[in-house]
Amino acid sequence: MPTVHYTDAEGAVREVKATAGDSVMETAVRNGVPGIVAECGGSLSCATCHVFVAEQDLADLAPMEDMEDEMLYGTAVDRQMNSRLSCQLPLREDQTLHVQTPETQV
């Protein structure tokens, strides 16, 4: 079972057990994790599920596709090298991922 550690902008951490195949965004919304708005519901047409992925976890993710890269230029908080849209991060069985939410999504 995948696990996601969500850290908010103030440093509070929430560990959530996820379902393999679900995205980091779907897991956050389903579990009421604050900091991920997900206005478009995961259709890759907004940037309100922006997260910063922990450096040690970046290599474990699928490469970013062009559309996600483009959408990250529309985030409320400037993108960083470890920025991803959580709707584009499907979770694998036994995966552990650490993400931080920006101080705002809108």
Side-chain angles (χ1 to χ4, degrees), residues 45-98:
S45 61
C46 75
T48 60
C49 67
H50 177 209
V51 294
F52 304 109
V53 178
E55 296 293 330
Q56 75 266 17
D57 295 336
L58 284 172
D60 197 32
L61 301 175
M64 184 183 310
E65 294 190 12
D66 291 342
M67 187 62 152
E68 179 184 0
D69 189 36
E70 255 183 66
M71 291 303 301
L72 281 167
Y73 286 108
T75 58
V77 173
D78 289 341
R79 74 183 288 174
Q80 298 176 10
M81 295 299 292
N82 60 336
S83 287
R84 294 294 301 262
L85 295 180
S86 60
C87 66
Q88 299 301 298
L89 302 176
L91 295 160
R92 294 184 319 277
E93 194 64 44
D94 298 323
Q95 182 178 22
T96 299
L97 194 60
H98 301 81

Side-chain angles (χ1 to χ4, degrees), residues 5-15 32-36 50-52 98-105:
H5 298 263
Y6 297 90
T7 303
D8 67 21
E10 288 79 42
V13 179
R14 182 168 176 186
E15 179 181 315
V33 174
I36 295 182
H50 177 209
V51 294
F52 304 109
H98 301 81
V99 299
Q100 181 173 358
T101 56
E103 61 186 49
T104 187
Q105 294 283 4

